[in-house]
Amino acid sequence: MKRIPMIAGNWKLHKTTQEALELVKKIHHGLPQPGEVDVVVAPPFTAIKTIADFLKKSYIAVAGQNLYWENTGAYTGEISAPILKEAGASYVIIGHSERRQYFGETNETVNKKIKAALDYVMPIVCVGETLAQREADQTQEVIQTQITESLANLSDANMRQIIIAYEPIWAIGTGKTATPAQAEEVHAFIRQTVADLYSPTIADQLRILYGGSVKPDNAHELLAKKNIDGALVGGASLQAELFIDIIKSI
Ligand code: PGA
């Protein structure tokens, strides 16, 4: 089956609302005609509404970078799925390695967050191994555990809403990209893992994005691979021209 490619920009902790608006205006202005590609930007929480309002007539969608698994309650500092949706987000990134590394995110919390998101926004679930794990030849084991535990107890209908991003930690923000062959190998493994856990049909429909130092000059080769359905872009998504060139390389 044909999977619609997706290019998502993860702005991390960059851009005030005003700066975010300037960036998204440039991206919107330079965007190719709507084609067979989904484009998503993930600004900081406080910019989501302004960006989503600006993008109402555009085909660019907005994502949150995180959420909490309860919808309301005494959870100071947290943001929930219904709040994200009301602000105009239609996606949310869950389990990014920076959340796992600095904020104690685990496969279990990722699983809870996915379940909380599903009625409101579509999860983009991140997995990936460290350099030490790759060098110890543990990549498949690590990814299999992350996928199995993060995606535990979801329905087939839930699985159709989910997007996975494979982001080798050693390639994030380092300028080191996985080679297209290395990435393709892990993407194929993720698809097979999901086929075993759910079904070959669900696995076939699943979009798996690659993330980790994606730039215009490596995007085309990565995206040409059979099991790579798009990119989750950090650094290069903060520069409109680079982000647009990555979209165009689809
Ligand atoms: P990078 O970040 O493109 O700057 O490597 C990717 C990500 O963290 O999603």
Side-chain angles (χ1 to χ4, degrees):
M1 97 148 238
K2 195 169 178 308
R3 298 179 293 266
I4 297 173
M6 171 181 282
I7 304 294
N10 174 12
W11 295 358
K12 308 190 181 184
L13 182 46
H14 294 286
K15 309 285 172 193
T16 62
T17 299
Q18 197 48 45
E19 290 163 352
L21 189 59
E22 279 162 31
L23 173 59
V24 88
K25 279 182 181 168
K26 281 192 205 149
I27 294 172
H28 174 73
H29 184 72
L31 209 61
Q33 290 301 307
E36 286 275 270
V37 56
D38 288 336
V39 178
V40 179
V41 293
F45 286 142
T46 47
I48 289 179
K49 178 145 173 51
T50 304
I51 299 296
D53 285 348
F54 173 77
L55 290 173
K56 272 209 173 101
K57 294 200 182 84
S58 152
Y59 69 92
I60 307 177
V62 181
Q65 298 177 15
N66 178 35
L67 86 171
Y68 190 58
W69 58 78
E70 295 291 347
N71 286 351
T72 56
Y75 304 106
T76 304
E78 295 296 324
I79 292 286
S80 67
I83 290 177
L84 281 178
K85 184 178 174 176
E86 191 213 43
S90 34
Y91 296 90
V92 63
I93 298 170
I94 300 179
H96 189 280
S97 62
E98 288 150 16
R99 303 273 342 150
R100 294 176 186 261
Q101 192 179 344
Y102 307 130
F103 303 100
E105 200 91 88
T106 63
N107 294 331
E108 193 191 346
T109 60
V110 169
N111 183 252
K112 284 179 166 184
K113 290 182 176 194
I114 293 171
K115 288 174 179 160
L118 279 162
D119 282 341
Y120 300 94
V121 285
M122 291 196 267
I124 301 173
V125 182
C126 303
V127 296
E129 81 287 1
T130 63
L131 184 59
Q133 289 164 337
R134 174 160 285 264
E135 284 174 346
D137 214 10
Q138 292 167 346
T139 300
Q140 292 203 347
E141 194 185 316
V142 169
I143 299 289
Q144 186 165 40
T145 306
Q146 287 178 336
I147 294 284
T148 307
E149 294 181 1
S150 302
L151 303 183
N153 303 317
L154 301 173
S155 67
D156 284 6
N158 291 161
M159 281 302 296
R160 286 195 195 93
Q161 304 289 308
I162 288 176
I163 293 145
I164 302 222
Y166 167 57
E167 300 204 305
I169 295 168
W170 48 272
I172 296 180
T174 58
K176 276 191 207 165
T177 335
T179 64
Q182 278 174 326
E184 170 65 13
E185 192 186 351
V186 180
H187 282 233
F189 178 74
I190 292 171
R191 207 177 294 290
Q192 186 55 50
T193 305
V194 171
D196 296 342
L197 286 172
Y198 286 93
S199 72
T201 313
I202 296 284
D204 194 37
Q205 293 169 350
L206 176 73
R207 288 188 284 182
I208 308 174
L209 316 181
Y210 170 79
S213 300
V214 175
K215 305 276 180 284
D217 59 4
N218 58 29
H220 181 76
E221 234 194 309
L222 285 159
L223 295 168
K225 290 291 181 192
K226 187 164 141 248
N227 286 292
I228 301 183
D229 305 310
L232 180 54
V233 186
S237 71
L238 295 169
Q239 292 179 53
E241 318 76 56
L242 299 184
F243 192 57
I244 289 163
D245 282 348
I246 292 171
I247 297 165
K248 286 182 177 161
S249 71
I250 282 274

